[in-house]
Structure formats: structure tokens, C-alpha cells
Amino acid sequence: MHYAGMRSVAEDLWSYAERLEGSWLVEIGPSGPVLAMRYPSKRREGMVRRIREQLNGQLRDTHPGHICANGPVIEHPAIGRMRRPGAVVVPEASLDEDGLAVDARQVLAAVEIVSPSGPHGECDEKLADYPAMGIPHYMIVDPRTGTIQVHSEPCKGRYSGKEPHIFGDSVAFGPWTIETSEFRRYGRDA
């Protein structure tokens, strides 16, 4: 199926998901459109908020006019992918445009926080999709293990740069720094 057909199916799934109880996610991955239930976690949302606030504080100086937003849908029709990261760095004006998704070519960075139930290959797929979309920086935060991976330098559909970190580190993420001392693992108290 070509991308326009997959996009149409994804839009139908979005309409269907809006009538369902709970929190749902629609993406277009390597096997086509997917509708999946999201399992919210207060700890995950707290990490997204901390990352978003830290990036927004730095973006004023490094990339005026850009913000870190809680995961709007991003798409790249040429490679047939539509994803919803936990957070993205995009031009603020892109969030005022009509349509379902932000053009992936406008995305400076994507952040994923692994859910308590685990990635089920999701991060592996996105680790292939995001560099193919041309997204310069990708950070995966895993509260199950207390680890962080920062990927950079997309080249030929892969990231050539990879830096591992643990919770508590000051993490270089592109031109920004994320302080992770307040990040907590799932199932662990402060």
C-alpha cells in the first residue's frame, strides 16, 4: 500500500480511537498503520515534563522560535512513516498549522521515555525511522533500567553517534544539556 493509502487508514484509526476509552496511539511503522493503547505512567510524564522544561529553557538561546512539545505526531511521507515521540523539538509555529502531523524535516530532536511495560521493539523501530526521517538528535530514556541513550549524526538511515548515560548524569543532547538527577526508575522511590 502506498503512503497516501496508509495515511488514510491512519486517519480512520484516529477517528475510531477518539471514540474509545483510554489513551490510544496511531502510528505508521514498517508494517503499516498501527493502533495501540498507551499505558500512562505518572513517573514517565514527570520525566517528559522535566526534559521539556529544561530544553525550553535552553532553546530560547540556541534555537529561538523553537519549543519542546509533548509529542505531536510527526510524519515523513517519502519514507512512509508517521510517529508520535514522547517529546519533540520543533518550530513553535508548526504547532499552529492545519493538519494532523508536523513535517519530520522540521524536527530538531525526538525524545522517547520507555513505558513501564517495555518497548516491545518500538524503540528499535524508531531508532531506524528517526535517522531516515533526518531527525538530528534522538534520546531514549529507560526508567526500567535507569539508562539513557543519546543518538546523533544521521547518516544513510542510521545514527552514527551513540552515547550511553545513567540516571544522575548531565547528558549532552545536541547543543543542550539535560540534568537527570531527579529522574527515577520505575518501582523505585526517591
Side-chain angles (χ1 to χ4, degrees), residues 16-36:
Y16 177 70
E18 289 175 351
R19 297 187 305 267
L20 297 174
E21 288 187 31
S23 179
W24 294 86
L25 169 73
V26 176
E27 294 184 323
I28 300 174
S31 0
V34 174
L35 172 66

Side-chain angles (χ1 to χ4, degrees), residues 147-151 161-166 169 171:
T147 59
I148 301 164
Q149 295 176 22
V150 175
H151 300 274
K162 177 182 175 183
E163 293 292 325
H165 300 275
I166 60 171
D169 288 350
V171 176

